[in-house]
PDB file of all heavy atoms in Angstrom:
ATOM      1  N   MET U   1     -48.801 -48.866 -60.261  1.00 98.00           N
ATOM      2  CA  MET U   1     -47.359 -49.077 -60.442  1.00 98.00           C
ATOM      3  C   MET U   1     -46.665 -48.606 -59.178  1.00 98.00           C
ATOM      4  O   MET U   1     -45.935 -47.602 -59.137  1.00 98.00           O
ATOM      5  CB  MET U   1     -46.866 -48.312 -61.677  1.00 98.00           C
ATOM      6  CG  MET U   1     -47.382 -48.864 -62.999  1.00 98.00           C
ATOM      7  SD  MET U   1     -46.785 -47.949 -64.459  1.00 98.00           S
ATOM      8  CE  MET U   1     -45.037 -48.394 -64.455  1.00 98.00           C
ATOM      9  N   ASP U   2     -46.865 -49.359 -58.086  1.00 98.00           N
ATOM     10  CA  ASP U   2     -46.442 -48.890 -56.768  1.00 98.00           C
ATOM     11  C   ASP U   2     -44.981 -49.142 -56.459  1.00 98.00           C
ATOM     12  O   ASP U   2     -44.470 -48.710 -55.417  1.00 98.00           O
ATOM     13  CB  ASP U   2     -47.329 -49.498 -55.675  1.00 98.00           C
ATOM     14  CG  ASP U   2     -47.416 -51.017 -55.740  1.00 98.00           C
ATOM     15  OD1 ASP U   2     -46.603 -51.636 -56.439  1.00 98.00           O
ATOM     16  OD2 ASP U   2     -48.302 -51.590 -55.079  1.00 98.00           O
ATOM     17  N   ARG U   3     -44.260 -49.837 -57.346  1.00 98.00           N
ATOM     18  CA  ARG U   3     -42.803 -50.035 -57.158  1.00 98.00           C
ATOM     19  C   ARG U   3     -41.993 -49.030 -57.951  1.00 98.00           C
ATOM     20  O   ARG U   3     -40.796 -48.880 -57.736  1.00 98.00           O
ATOM     21  CB  ARG U   3     -42.421 -51.457 -57.594  1.00 98.00           C
ATOM     22  CG  ARG U   3     -42.905 -52.568 -56.719  1.00 98.00           C
ATOM     23  CD  ARG U   3     -42.079 -52.720 -55.453  1.00 98.00           C
ATOM     24  NE  ARG U   3     -40.692 -53.133 -55.759  1.00 98.00           N
ATOM     25  CZ  ARG U   3     -39.680 -52.924 -54.925  1.00 98.00           C
ATOM     26  NH1 ARG U   3     -39.868 -52.289 -53.789  1.00 98.00           N
ATOM     27  NH2 ARG U   3     -38.454 -53.330 -55.260  1.00 98.00           N
ATOM     28  N   THR U   4     -42.612 -48.328 -58.883  1.00 98.00           N
ATOM     29  CA  THR U   4     -41.899 -47.489 -59.815  1.00 98.00           C
ATOM     30  C   THR U   4     -41.447 -46.185 -59.179  1.00 98.00           C
ATOM     31  O   THR U   4     -42.212 -45.509 -58.477  1.00 98.00           O
ATOM     32  CB  THR U   4     -42.792 -47.188 -61.038  1.00 98.00           C
ATOM     33  OG1 THR U   4     -43.129 -48.443 -61.663  1.00 98.00           O
ATOM     34  CG2 THR U   4     -42.089 -46.319 -62.042  1.00 98.00           C
ATOM     35  N   ILE U   5     -40.160 -45.831 -59.434  1.00 98.00           N
ATOM     36  CA  ILE U   5     -39.571 -44.613 -58.882  1.00 98.00           C
ATOM     37  C   ILE U   5     -38.837 -43.865 -60.004  1.00 98.00           C
ATOM     38  O   ILE U   5     -38.753 -44.366 -61.130  1.00 98.00           O
ATOM     39  CB  ILE U   5     -38.602 -44.925 -57.715  1.00 98.00           C
ATOM     40  CG1 ILE U   5     -37.491 -45.889 -58.169  1.00 98.00           C
ATOM     41  CG2 ILE U   5     -39.364 -45.486 -56.528  1.00 98.00           C
ATOM     42  CD1 ILE U   5     -36.473 -46.220 -57.095  1.00 98.00           C
ATOM     43  N   TRP U   6     -38.299 -42.703 -59.672  1.00 98.00           N
ATOM     44  CA  TRP U   6     -37.710 -41.872 -60.728  1.00 98.00           C
ATOM     45  C   TRP U   6     -36.254 -41.475 -60.454  1.00 98.00           C
ATOM     46  O   TRP U   6     -35.650 -40.782 -61.256  1.00 98.00           O
ATOM     47  CB  TRP U   6     -38.554 -40.609 -60.950  1.00 98.00           C
ATOM     48  CG  TRP U   6     -38.698 -39.775 -59.710  1.00 98.00           C
ATOM     49  CD1 TRP U   6     -39.669 -39.859 -58.750  1.00 98.00           C
ATOM     50  CD2 TRP U   6     -37.842 -38.717 -59.276  1.00 98.00           C
ATOM     51  NE1 TRP U   6     -39.478 -38.955 -57.745  1.00 98.00           N
ATOM     52  CE2 TRP U   6     -38.346 -38.216 -58.048  1.00 98.00           C
ATOM     53  CE3 TRP U   6     -36.679 -38.133 -59.807  1.00 98.00           C
ATOM     54  CZ2 TRP U   6     -37.747 -37.176 -57.353  1.00 98.00           C
ATOM     55  CZ3 TRP U   6     -36.086 -37.089 -59.102  1.00 98.00           C
ATOM     56  CH2 TRP U   6     -36.617 -36.631 -57.898  1.00 98.00           C
ATOM     57  N   SER U   7     -35.690 -41.895 -59.329  1.00 98.00           N
ATOM     58  CA  SER U   7     -34.334 -41.501 -59.010  1.00 98.00           C
ATOM     59  C   SER U   7     -33.595 -42.617 -58.266  1.00 98.00           C
ATOM     60  O   SER U   7     -34.209 -43.326 -57.446  1.00 98.00           O
ATOM     61  CB  SER U   7     -34.336 -40.237 -58.136  1.00 98.00           C
ATOM     62  OG  SER U   7     -33.024 -39.930 -57.680  1.00 98.00           O
ATOM     63  N   VAL U   8     -32.302 -42.749 -58.515  1.00 98.00           N
ATOM     64  CA  VAL U   8     -31.507 -43.743 -57.786  1.00 98.00           C
ATOM     65  C   VAL U   8     -31.462 -43.418 -56.295  1.00 98.00           C
ATOM     66  O   VAL U   8     -31.252 -44.328 -55.472  1.00 98.00           O
ATOM     67  CB  VAL U   8     -30.069 -43.822 -58.331  1.00 98.00           C
ATOM     68  CG1 VAL U   8     -30.066 -44.203 -59.785  1.00 98.00           C
ATOM     69  CG2 VAL U   8     -29.309 -42.494 -58.134  1.00 98.00           C
ATOM     70  N   ASP U   9     -31.714 -42.177 -55.920  1.00 98.00           N
ATOM     71  CA  ASP U   9     -31.716 -41.785 -54.521  1.00 98.00           C
ATOM     72  C   ASP U   9     -32.903 -42.400 -53.770  1.00 98.00           C
ATOM     73  O   ASP U   9     -32.938 -42.391 -52.534  1.00 98.00           O
ATOM     74  CB  ASP U   9     -31.775 -40.270 -54.372  1.00 98.00           C
ATOM     75  CG  ASP U   9     -30.519 -39.573 -54.908  1.00 98.00           C
ATOM     76  OD1 ASP U   9     -29.468 -40.247 -54.960  1.00 98.00           O
ATOM     77  OD2 ASP U   9     -30.607 -38.399 -55.269  1.00 98.00           O
ATOM     78  N   MET U  10     -33.863 -42.955 -54.520  1.00 98.00           N
ATOM     79  CA  MET U  10     -35.051 -43.544 -53.900  1.00 98.00           C
ATOM     80  C   MET U  10     -34.937 -45.064 -53.752  1.00 98.00           C
ATOM     81  O   MET U  10     -35.826 -45.701 -53.200  1.00 98.00           O
ATOM     82  CB  MET U  10     -36.283 -43.191 -54.759  1.00 98.00           C
ATOM     83  CG  MET U  10     -36.517 -41.707 -54.913  1.00 98.00           C
ATOM     84  SD  MET U  10     -37.789 -41.304 -56.163  1.00 98.00           S
ATOM     85  CE  MET U  10     -39.259 -41.835 -55.310  1.00 98.00           C
ATOM     86  N   LEU U  11     -33.870 -45.633 -54.241  1.00 98.00           N
ATOM     87  CA  LEU U  11     -33.687 -47.087 -54.141  1.00 98.00           C
ATOM     88  C   LEU U  11     -33.586 -47.494 -52.666  1.00 98.00           C
ATOM     89  O   LEU U  11     -32.770 -46.944 -51.924  1.00 98.00           O
ATOM     90  CB  LEU U  11     -32.420 -47.527 -54.866  1.00 98.00           C
ATOM     91  CG  LEU U  11     -32.482 -47.468 -56.414  1.00 98.00           C
ATOM     92  CD1 LEU U  11     -31.090 -47.637 -56.996  1.00 98.00           C
ATOM     93  CD2 LEU U  11     -33.427 -48.538 -56.957  1.00 98.00           C
ATOM     94  N   ALA U  12     -34.405 -48.463 -52.265  1.00 96.00           N
ATOM     95  CA  ALA U  12     -34.424 -48.843 -50.866  1.00 96.00           C
ATOM     96  C   ALA U  12     -34.371 -50.363 -50.678  1.00 96.00           C
ATOM     97  O   ALA U  12     -33.666 -50.860 -49.814  1.00 96.00           O
ATOM     98  CB  ALA U  12     -35.679 -48.296 -50.186  1.00 96.00           C
ATOM     99  N   ASP U  13     -35.121 -51.115 -51.467  1.00 96.00           N
ATOM    100  CA  ASP U  13     -35.145 -52.570 -51.275  1.00 96.00           C
ATOM    101  C   ASP U  13     -35.401 -53.261 -52.606  1.00 96.00           C
ATOM    102  O   ASP U  13     -36.004 -52.705 -53.524  1.00 96.00           O
ATOM    103  CB  ASP U  13     -36.254 -52.952 -50.285  1.00 96.00           C
ATOM    104  CG  ASP U  13     -37.644 -52.668 -50.844  1.00 96.00           C
ATOM    105  OD1 ASP U  13     -38.034 -51.474 -50.901  1.00 96.00           O
ATOM    106  OD2 ASP U  13     -38.332 -53.608 -51.235  1.00 96.00           O
ATOM    107  N   ASN U  14     -34.933 -54.474 -52.704  1.00 98.00           N
ATOM    108  CA  ASN U  14     -35.160 -55.357 -53.847  1.00 98.00           C
ATOM    109  C   ASN U  14     -34.854 -54.687 -55.172  1.00 98.00           C
ATOM    110  O   ASN U  14     -35.702 -54.524 -56.034  1.00 98.00           O
ATOM    111  CB  ASN U  14     -36.606 -55.859 -53.869  1.00 98.00           C
ATOM    112  CG  ASN U  14     -36.794 -57.037 -54.847  1.00 98.00           C
ATOM    113  OD1 ASN U  14     -35.827 -57.558 -55.414  1.00 98.00           O
ATOM    114  ND2 ASN U  14     -38.027 -57.433 -55.053  1.00 98.00           N
ATOM    115  N   PHE U  15     -33.590 -54.285 -55.351  1.00 98.00           N
ATOM    116  CA  PHE U  15     -33.167 -53.706 -56.615  1.00 98.00           C
ATOM    117  C   PHE U  15     -31.934 -54.447 -57.110  1.00 98.00           C
ATOM    118  O   PHE U  15     -31.120 -54.941 -56.337  1.00 98.00           O
ATOM    119  CB  PHE U  15     -32.891 -52.220 -56.515  1.00 98.00           C
ATOM    120  CG  PHE U  15     -31.888 -51.831 -55.449  1.00 98.00           C
ATOM    121  CD1 PHE U  15     -30.524 -51.796 -55.737  1.00 98.00           C
ATOM    122  CD2 PHE U  15     -32.312 -51.479 -54.162  1.00 98.00           C
ATOM    123  CE1 PHE U  15     -29.603 -51.437 -54.772  1.00 98.00           C
ATOM    124  CE2 PHE U  15     -31.374 -51.112 -53.190  1.00 98.00           C
ATOM    125  CZ  PHE U  15     -30.026 -51.097 -53.491  1.00 98.00           C
ATOM    126  N   ALA U  16     -31.807 -54.532 -58.440  1.00 98.00           N
ATOM    127  CA  ALA U  16     -30.640 -55.173 -59.047  1.00 98.00           C
ATOM    128  C   ALA U  16     -29.497 -54.181 -59.109  1.00 98.00           C
ATOM    129  O   ALA U  16     -29.702 -52.961 -59.119  1.00 98.00           O
ATOM    130  CB  ALA U  16     -30.995 -55.649 -60.463  1.00 98.00           C
ATOM    131  N   MET U  17     -28.286 -54.701 -59.139  1.00 98.00           N
ATOM    132  CA  MET U  17     -27.104 -53.866 -59.309  1.00 98.00           C
ATOM    133  C   MET U  17     -26.680 -53.882 -60.783  1.00 98.00           C
ATOM    134  O   MET U  17     -26.737 -54.939 -61.437  1.00 98.00           O
ATOM    135  CB  MET U  17     -25.950 -54.351 -58.447  1.00 98.00           C
ATOM    136  CG  MET U  17     -26.130 -54.069 -56.968  1.00 98.00           C
ATOM    137  SD  MET U  17     -26.282 -52.290 -56.569  1.00 98.00           S
ATOM    138  CE  MET U  17     -24.637 -51.715 -57.042  1.00 98.00           C
ATOM    139  N   PRO U  18     -26.244 -52.751 -61.312  1.00 98.00           N
ATOM    140  CA  PRO U  18     -25.765 -52.712 -62.700  1.00 98.00           C
ATOM    141  C   PRO U  18     -24.449 -53.483 -62.812  1.00 98.00           C
ATOM    142  O   PRO U  18     -23.700 -53.605 -61.859  1.00 98.00           O
ATOM    143  CB  PRO U  18     -25.569 -51.225 -62.979  1.00 98.00           C
ATOM    144  CG  PRO U  18     -26.218 -50.500 -61.832  1.00 98.00           C
ATOM    145  CD  PRO U  18     -26.206 -51.422 -60.674  1.00 98.00           C
ATOM    146  N   HIS U  19     -24.179 -53.975 -64.032  1.00 98.00           N
ATOM    147  CA  HIS U  19     -22.932 -54.711 -64.302  1.00 98.00           C
ATOM    148  C   HIS U  19     -22.343 -54.291 -65.649  1.00 98.00           C
ATOM    149  O   HIS U  19     -23.077 -53.986 -66.594  1.00 98.00           O
ATOM    150  CB  HIS U  19     -23.172 -56.218 -64.315  1.00 98.00           C
ATOM    151  CG  HIS U  19     -23.532 -56.792 -62.986  1.00 98.00           C
ATOM    152  ND1 HIS U  19     -24.804 -56.678 -62.477  1.00 98.00           N
ATOM    153  CD2 HIS U  19     -22.817 -57.497 -62.074  1.00 98.00           C
ATOM    154  CE1 HIS U  19     -24.851 -57.268 -61.274  1.00 98.00           C
ATOM    155  NE2 HIS U  19     -23.656 -57.770 -61.011  1.00 98.00           N
ATOM    156  N   LYS U  20     -21.024 -54.297 -65.701  1.00 97.00           N
ATOM    157  CA  LYS U  20     -20.325 -54.071 -66.953  1.00 97.00           C
ATOM    158  C   LYS U  20     -19.662 -55.363 -67.413  1.00 97.00           C
ATOM    159  O   LYS U  20     -18.918 -55.993 -66.638  1.00 97.00           O
ATOM    160  CB  LYS U  20     -19.244 -52.989 -66.783  1.00 97.00           C
ATOM    161  CG  LYS U  20     -18.489 -52.682 -68.075  1.00 97.00           C
ATOM    162  CD  LYS U  20     -17.512 -51.517 -67.895  1.00 97.00           C
ATOM    163  CE  LYS U  20     -16.791 -51.224 -69.221  1.00 97.00           C
ATOM    164  NZ  LYS U  20     -15.894 -50.053 -69.113  1.00 97.00           N
ATOM    165  N   PRO U  21     -19.921 -55.807 -68.651  1.00 96.00           N
ATOM    166  CA  PRO U  21     -19.285 -57.037 -69.150  1.00 96.00           C
ATOM    167  C   PRO U  21     -17.764 -56.897 -69.182  1.00 96.00           C
ATOM    168  O   PRO U  21     -17.235 -55.808 -69.427  1.00 96.00           O
ATOM    169  CB  PRO U  21     -19.855 -57.168 -70.562  1.00 96.00           C
ATOM    170  CG  PRO U  21     -21.128 -56.404 -70.548  1.00 96.00           C
ATOM    171  CD  PRO U  21     -20.873 -55.254 -69.610  1.00 96.00           C
ATOM    172  N   GLN U  22     -17.092 -58.003 -68.928  1.00 93.00           N
ATOM    173  CA  GLN U  22     -15.639 -58.029 -68.935  1.00 93.00           C
ATOM    174  C   GLN U  22     -15.151 -58.945 -70.065  1.00 93.00           C
ATOM    175  O   GLN U  22     -15.827 -59.928 -70.401  1.00 93.00           O
ATOM    176  CB  GLN U  22     -15.110 -58.562 -67.601  1.00 93.00           C
ATOM    177  CG  GLN U  22     -15.566 -57.745 -66.385  1.00 93.00           C
ATOM    178  CD  GLN U  22     -15.070 -56.299 -66.456  1.00 93.00           C
ATOM    179  OE1 GLN U  22     -13.872 -56.050 -66.556  1.00 93.00           O
ATOM    180  NE2 GLN U  22     -16.009 -55.357 -66.421  1.00 93.00           N
ATOM    181  N   PRO U  23     -14.001 -58.640 -70.664  1.00 87.00           N
ATOM    182  CA  PRO U  23     -13.471 -59.514 -71.738  1.00 87.00           C
ATOM    183  C   PRO U  23     -13.297 -60.956 -71.290  1.00 87.00           C
ATOM    184  O   PRO U  23     -13.553 -61.882 -72.063  1.00 87.00           O
ATOM    185  CB  PRO U  23     -12.123 -58.865 -72.082  1.00 87.00           C
ATOM    186  CG  PRO U  23     -12.233 -57.460 -71.592  1.00 87.00           C
ATOM    187  CD  PRO U  23     -13.122 -57.496 -70.383  1.00 87.00           C
ATOM    188  N   ASP U  24     -12.846 -61.137 -70.061  1.00 85.00           N
ATOM    189  CA  ASP U  24     -12.670 -62.474 -69.506  1.00 85.00           C
ATOM    190  C   ASP U  24     -13.275 -62.490 -68.106  1.00 85.00           C
ATOM    191  O   ASP U  24     -13.040 -61.597 -67.314  1.00 85.00           O
ATOM    192  CB  ASP U  24     -11.184 -62.842 -69.426  1.00 85.00           C
ATOM    193  CG  ASP U  24     -10.513 -62.806 -70.799  1.00 85.00           C
ATOM    194  OD1 ASP U  24     -10.971 -63.556 -71.671  1.00 85.00           O
ATOM    195  OD2 ASP U  24      -9.572 -62.025 -70.988  1.00 85.00           O
ATOM    196  N   GLY U  25     -14.032 -63.539 -67.846  1.00 88.00           N
ATOM    197  CA  GLY U  25     -14.607 -63.664 -66.503  1.00 88.00           C
ATOM    198  C   GLY U  25     -15.993 -63.069 -66.397  1.00 88.00           C
ATOM    199  O   GLY U  25     -16.556 -62.540 -67.356  1.00 88.00           O
ATOM    200  N   PRO U  26     -16.585 -63.149 -65.208  1.00 92.00           N
ATOM    201  CA  PRO U  26     -17.963 -62.676 -64.999  1.00 92.00           C
ATOM    202  C   PRO U  26     -18.072 -61.173 -65.100  1.00 92.00           C
ATOM    203  O   PRO U  26     -17.108 -60.441 -64.959  1.00 92.00           O
ATOM    204  CB  PRO U  26     -18.286 -63.170 -63.577  1.00 92.00           C
ATOM    205  CG  PRO U  26     -16.950 -63.289 -62.918  1.00 92.00           C
ATOM    206  CD  PRO U  26     -15.984 -63.702 -63.977  1.00 92.00           C
ATOM    207  N   ASP U  27     -19.302 -60.712 -65.331  1.00 96.00           N
ATOM    208  CA  ASP U  27     -19.553 -59.277 -65.390  1.00 96.00           C
ATOM    209  C   ASP U  27     -19.196 -58.632 -64.054  1.00 96.00           C
ATOM    210  O   ASP U  27     -19.335 -59.230 -62.986  1.00 96.00           O
ATOM    211  CB  ASP U  27     -21.023 -59.017 -65.702  1.00 96.00           C
ATOM    212  CG  ASP U  27     -21.392 -59.477 -67.112  1.00 96.00           C
ATOM    213  OD1 ASP U  27     -20.529 -59.977 -67.834  1.00 96.00           O
ATOM    214  OD2 ASP U  27     -22.574 -59.332 -67.479  1.00 96.00           O
ATOM    215  N   GLN U  28     -18.770 -57.368 -64.150  1.00 96.00           N
ATOM    216  CA  GLN U  28     -18.356 -56.636 -62.963  1.00 96.00           C
ATOM    217  C   GLN U  28     -19.476 -55.726 -62.469  1.00 96.00           C
ATOM    218  O   GLN U  28     -20.037 -54.921 -63.201  1.00 96.00           O
ATOM    219  CB  GLN U  28     -17.129 -55.782 -63.277  1.00 96.00           C
ATOM    220  CG  GLN U  28     -16.684 -54.884 -62.136  1.00 96.00           C
ATOM    221  CD  GLN U  28     -15.582 -53.900 -62.545  1.00 96.00           C
ATOM    222  OE1 GLN U  28     -15.114 -53.929 -63.662  1.00 96.00           O
ATOM    223  NE2 GLN U  28     -15.180 -53.035 -61.626  1.00 96.00           N
ATOM    224  N   SER U  29     -19.824 -55.869 -61.188  1.00 97.00           N
ATOM    225  CA  SER U  29     -20.820 -55.002 -60.593  1.00 97.00           C
ATOM    226  C   SER U  29     -20.295 -53.573 -60.504  1.00 97.00           C
ATOM    227  O   SER U  29     -19.141 -53.355 -60.139  1.00 97.00           O
ATOM    228  CB  SER U  29     -21.175 -55.507 -59.196  1.00 97.00           C
ATOM    229  OG  SER U  29     -22.044 -54.604 -58.536  1.00 97.00           O
ATOM    230  N   ILE U  30     -21.131 -52.597 -60.902  1.00 97.00           N
ATOM    231  CA  ILE U  30     -20.747 -51.191 -60.813  1.00 97.00           C
ATOM    232  C   ILE U  30     -21.836 -50.431 -60.076  1.00 97.00           C
ATOM    233  O   ILE U  30     -22.940 -50.940 -59.855  1.00 97.00           O
ATOM    234  CB  ILE U  30     -20.528 -50.573 -62.208  1.00 97.00           C
ATOM    235  CG1 ILE U  30     -21.792 -50.685 -63.077  1.00 97.00           C
ATOM    236  CG2 ILE U  30     -19.353 -51.218 -62.913  1.00 97.00           C
ATOM    237  CD1 ILE U  30     -21.671 -50.023 -64.445  1.00 97.00           C
ATOM    238  N   SER U  31     -21.529 -49.216 -59.706  1.00 97.00           N
ATOM    239  CA  SER U  31     -22.483 -48.407 -58.918  1.00 97.00           C
ATOM    240  C   SER U  31     -23.603 -47.874 -59.822  1.00 97.00           C
ATOM    241  O   SER U  31     -23.430 -47.653 -61.012  1.00 97.00           O
ATOM    242  CB  SER U  31     -21.766 -47.235 -58.253  1.00 97.00           C
ATOM    243  OG  SER U  31     -20.762 -47.687 -57.374  1.00 97.00           O
ATOM    244  N   TRP U  32     -24.766 -47.627 -59.182  1.00 98.00           N
ATOM    245  CA  TRP U  32     -25.827 -46.902 -59.861  1.00 98.00           C
ATOM    246  C   TRP U  32     -25.356 -45.472 -60.133  1.00 98.00           C
ATOM    247  O   TRP U  32     -24.628 -44.888 -59.347  1.00 98.00           O
ATOM    248  CB  TRP U  32     -27.077 -46.874 -58.995  1.00 98.00           C
ATOM    249  CG  TRP U  32     -27.897 -48.114 -59.029  1.00 98.00           C
ATOM    250  CD1 TRP U  32     -27.670 -49.279 -58.327  1.00 98.00           C
ATOM    251  CD2 TRP U  32     -29.095 -48.329 -59.783  1.00 98.00           C
ATOM    252  NE1 TRP U  32     -28.643 -50.195 -58.604  1.00 98.00           N
ATOM    253  CE2 TRP U  32     -29.537 -49.633 -59.494  1.00 98.00           C
ATOM    254  CE3 TRP U  32     -29.841 -47.542 -60.667  1.00 98.00           C
ATOM    255  CZ2 TRP U  32     -30.694 -50.179 -60.061  1.00 98.00           C
ATOM    256  CZ3 TRP U  32     -30.984 -48.087 -61.219  1.00 98.00           C
ATOM    257  CH2 TRP U  32     -31.404 -49.388 -60.928  1.00 98.00           C
ATOM    258  N   VAL U  33     -25.771 -44.923 -61.265  1.00 98.00           N
ATOM    259  CA  VAL U  33     -25.417 -43.548 -61.652  1.00 98.00           C
ATOM    260  C   VAL U  33     -26.665 -42.689 -61.622  1.00 98.00           C
ATOM    261  O   VAL U  33     -27.719 -43.090 -62.099  1.00 98.00           O
ATOM    262  CB  VAL U  33     -24.788 -43.532 -63.073  1.00 98.00           C
ATOM    263  CG1 VAL U  33     -24.523 -42.111 -63.522  1.00 98.00           C
ATOM    264  CG2 VAL U  33     -23.517 -44.368 -63.077  1.00 98.00           C
ATOM    265  N   ASN U  34     -26.542 -41.508 -61.068  1.00 98.00           N
ATOM    266  CA  ASN U  34     -27.663 -40.590 -60.988  1.00 98.00           C
ATOM    267  C   ASN U  34     -27.976 -39.964 -62.345  1.00 98.00           C
ATOM    268  O   ASN U  34     -27.110 -39.304 -62.927  1.00 98.00           O
ATOM    269  CB  ASN U  34     -27.388 -39.492 -59.953  1.00 98.00           C
ATOM    270  CG  ASN U  34     -28.611 -38.643 -59.669  1.00 98.00           C
ATOM    271  OD1 ASN U  34     -29.124 -37.964 -60.548  1.00 98.00           O
ATOM    272  ND2 ASN U  34     -29.081 -38.662 -58.434  1.00 98.00           N
ATOM    273  N   TRP U  35     -29.205 -40.173 -62.831  1.00 98.00           N
ATOM    274  CA  TRP U  35     -29.629 -39.609 -64.107  1.00 98.00           C
ATOM    275  C   TRP U  35     -30.755 -38.577 -63.912  1.00 98.00           C
ATOM    276  O   TRP U  35     -31.532 -38.299 -64.821  1.00 98.00           O
ATOM    277  CB  TRP U  35     -30.152 -40.717 -65.030  1.00 98.00           C
ATOM    278  CG  TRP U  35     -29.076 -41.450 -65.789  1.00 98.00           C
ATOM    279  CD1 TRP U  35     -27.757 -41.540 -65.488  1.00 98.00           C
ATOM    280  CD2 TRP U  35     -29.266 -42.220 -66.992  1.00 98.00           C
ATOM    281  NE1 TRP U  35     -27.098 -42.308 -66.426  1.00 98.00           N
ATOM    282  CE2 TRP U  35     -27.990 -42.748 -67.365  1.00 98.00           C
ATOM    283  CE3 TRP U  35     -30.350 -42.524 -67.790  1.00 98.00           C
ATOM    284  CZ2 TRP U  35     -27.798 -43.540 -68.485  1.00 98.00           C
ATOM    285  CZ3 TRP U  35     -30.169 -43.324 -68.921  1.00 98.00           C
ATOM    286  CH2 TRP U  35     -28.903 -43.808 -69.258  1.00 98.00           C
ATOM    287  N   ASP U  36     -30.817 -37.968 -62.750  1.00 98.00           N
ATOM    288  CA  ASP U  36     -31.950 -37.066 -62.455  1.00 98.00           C
ATOM    289  C   ASP U  36     -32.062 -35.930 -63.454  1.00 98.00           C
ATOM    290  O   ASP U  36     -33.168 -35.518 -63.814  1.00 98.00           O
ATOM    291  CB  ASP U  36     -31.823 -36.497 -61.040  1.00 98.00           C
ATOM    292  CG  ASP U  36     -32.073 -37.543 -59.959  1.00 98.00           C
ATOM    293  OD1 ASP U  36     -32.329 -38.695 -60.297  1.00 98.00           O
ATOM    294  OD2 ASP U  36     -31.991 -37.175 -58.774  1.00 98.00           O
ATOM    295  N   ASN U  37     -30.916 -35.362 -63.886  1.00 98.00           N
ATOM    296  CA  ASN U  37     -30.999 -34.196 -64.763  1.00 98.00           C
ATOM    297  C   ASN U  37     -31.524 -34.542 -66.168  1.00 98.00           C
ATOM    298  O   ASN U  37     -31.941 -33.660 -66.894  1.00 98.00           O
ATOM    299  CB  ASN U  37     -29.634 -33.496 -64.871  1.00 98.00           C
ATOM    300  CG  ASN U  37     -28.543 -34.367 -65.444  1.00 98.00           C
ATOM    301  OD1 ASN U  37     -28.735 -35.547 -65.751  1.00 98.00           O
ATOM    302  ND2 ASN U  37     -27.365 -33.794 -65.597  1.00 98.00           N
ATOM    303  N   MET U  38     -31.456 -35.816 -66.560  1.00 98.00           N
ATOM    304  CA  MET U  38     -32.017 -36.226 -67.847  1.00 98.00           C
ATOM    305  C   MET U  38     -33.169 -37.182 -67.663  1.00 98.00           C
ATOM    306  O   MET U  38     -33.543 -37.933 -68.581  1.00 98.00           O
ATOM    307  CB  MET U  38     -30.927 -36.852 -68.727  1.00 98.00           C
ATOM    308  CG  MET U  38     -30.350 -38.190 -68.224  1.00 98.00           C
ATOM    309  SD  MET U  38     -31.343 -39.645 -68.673  1.00 98.00           S
ATOM    310  CE  MET U  38     -31.128 -39.664 -70.441  1.00 98.00           C
ATOM    311  N   GLY U  39     -33.803 -37.142 -66.468  1.00 98.00           N
ATOM    312  CA  GLY U  39     -34.805 -38.129 -66.124  1.00 98.00           C
ATOM    313  C   GLY U  39     -35.929 -38.281 -67.123  1.00 98.00           C
ATOM    314  O   GLY U  39     -36.441 -39.376 -67.357  1.00 98.00           O
ATOM    315  N   ALA U  40     -36.350 -37.181 -67.745  1.00 98.00           N
ATOM    316  CA  ALA U  40     -37.464 -37.260 -68.714  1.00 98.00           C
ATOM    317  C   ALA U  40     -37.073 -38.049 -69.962  1.00 98.00           C
ATOM    318  O   ALA U  40     -37.935 -38.498 -70.701  1.00 98.00           O
ATOM    319  CB  ALA U  40     -37.920 -35.858 -69.115  1.00 98.00           C
ATOM    320  N   ALA U  41     -35.797 -38.231 -70.183  1.00 98.00           N
ATOM    321  CA  ALA U  41     -35.330 -39.019 -71.327  1.00 98.00           C
ATOM    322  C   ALA U  41     -35.016 -40.459 -70.948  1.00 98.00           C
ATOM    323  O   ALA U  41     -34.929 -41.314 -71.817  1.00 98.00           O
ATOM    324  CB  ALA U  41     -34.081 -38.374 -71.942  1.00 98.00           C
ATOM    325  N   GLY U  42     -34.836 -40.734 -69.648  1.00 98.00           N
ATOM    326  CA  GLY U  42     -34.453 -42.091 -69.304  1.00 98.00           C
ATOM    327  C   GLY U  42     -34.317 -42.387 -67.824  1.00 98.00           C
ATOM    328  O   GLY U  42     -33.545 -43.272 -67.453  1.00 98.00           O
ATOM    329  N   GLY U  43     -35.053 -41.721 -66.967  1.00 98.00           N
ATOM    330  CA  GLY U  43     -34.808 -41.827 -65.547  1.00 98.00           C
ATOM    331  C   GLY U  43     -35.646 -42.818 -64.754  1.00 98.00           C
ATOM    332  O   GLY U  43     -35.388 -43.048 -63.571  1.00 98.00           O
ATOM    333  N   ILE U  44     -36.655 -43.422 -65.367  1.00 98.00           N
ATOM    334  CA  ILE U  44     -37.563 -44.294 -64.588  1.00 98.00           C
ATOM    335  C   ILE U  44     -36.904 -45.603 -64.200  1.00 98.00           C
ATOM    336  O   ILE U  44     -36.155 -46.219 -64.984  1.00 98.00           O
ATOM    337  CB  ILE U  44     -38.865 -44.561 -65.369  1.00 98.00           C
ATOM    338  CG1 ILE U  44     -39.683 -43.253 -65.508  1.00 98.00           C
ATOM    339  CG2 ILE U  44     -39.710 -45.618 -64.698  1.00 98.00           C
ATOM    340  CD1 ILE U  44     -40.945 -43.377 -66.323  1.00 98.00           C
TER     341      ILE U  44
END
């Protein structure tokens, strides 16, 4: 599993951007959020 990482700080290439759905129009791109402190519950 050589692409797998555990922190947003490790993102370097070929990654998707998160999006938030909007009531009207296309989804809005938002920033990655650091989940390092809860990584064992959801950080991969």
